[in-house]
Amino acid sequence: MERLHGHRQGSVTRVDDPVADHGPLLGLRLSHPPAHVHPAEPGSRLVLITDGLVEVRNRDLDDSLAEFLDAAASGPRELEALCDFLLRSFGEDKEDDIALLALHLGPDPDPA
């Protein structure tokens, strides 16, 4: 995946689907590709992170991200436990700021 100003481009990764790139980071004032819709089934989890959570000096970022994705896919189902698990596993002694947001996608309350 391409790097941009020292940062990795955003991506969406599903356990059952390959990575889909979404263009440069917000705030860089660069052009972005058109928005994409990524259907998700009820019960899916969405985990958003900043690169600081998976970046490790002198380690390939793709390897760190792959390890994180494996941990997120196999971690606890309950969101608070998942976040605690991921932060314990990847968030200790970081040199960069980190952010982690996990969401459980429930059924559509107003189906069309």
Side-chain angles (χ1 to χ4, degrees):
M1 192 175 285
E2 182 181 336
R3 287 180 182 264
L4 184 62
H5 300 286
H7 292 279
R8 192 176 177 84
Q9 286 189 4
S11 65
V12 172
T13 303
R14 293 176 37 191
V15 174
D16 61 347
D17 205 3
V19 174
D21 293 331
H22 281 270
L25 297 173
L26 298 175
L28 294 179
R29 297 191 176 129
L30 299 173
S31 62
H32 288 266
H36 298 278
V37 174
H38 296 278
E41 296 297 320
S44 297
R45 294 185 298 179
L46 175 65
V47 178
L48 304 172
I49 62 168
T50 57
D51 61 346
L53 187 59
V54 293
E55 278 186 330
V56 177
R57 189 178 301 269
N58 298 321
R59 182 163 187 220
D60 184 77
L61 186 56
D62 289 328
D63 292 343
S64 295
L65 184 57
E67 185 180 338
F68 177 85
L69 293 173
D70 288 343
S74 63
R77 290 294 304 160
E78 196 275 324
L79 292 182
E80 187 172 351
L82 175 66
C83 289
D84 289 344
F85 169 72
L86 294 172
L87 288 172
R88 274 193 317 275
S89 300
F90 297 91
E92 309 258 331
D93 301 319
K94 291 297 181 172
E95 297 176 14
D96 197 358
D97 57 325
I98 61 172
L100 169 67
L101 173 67
L103 304 169
H104 175 83
L105 305 177
D108 187 349
D110 187 22

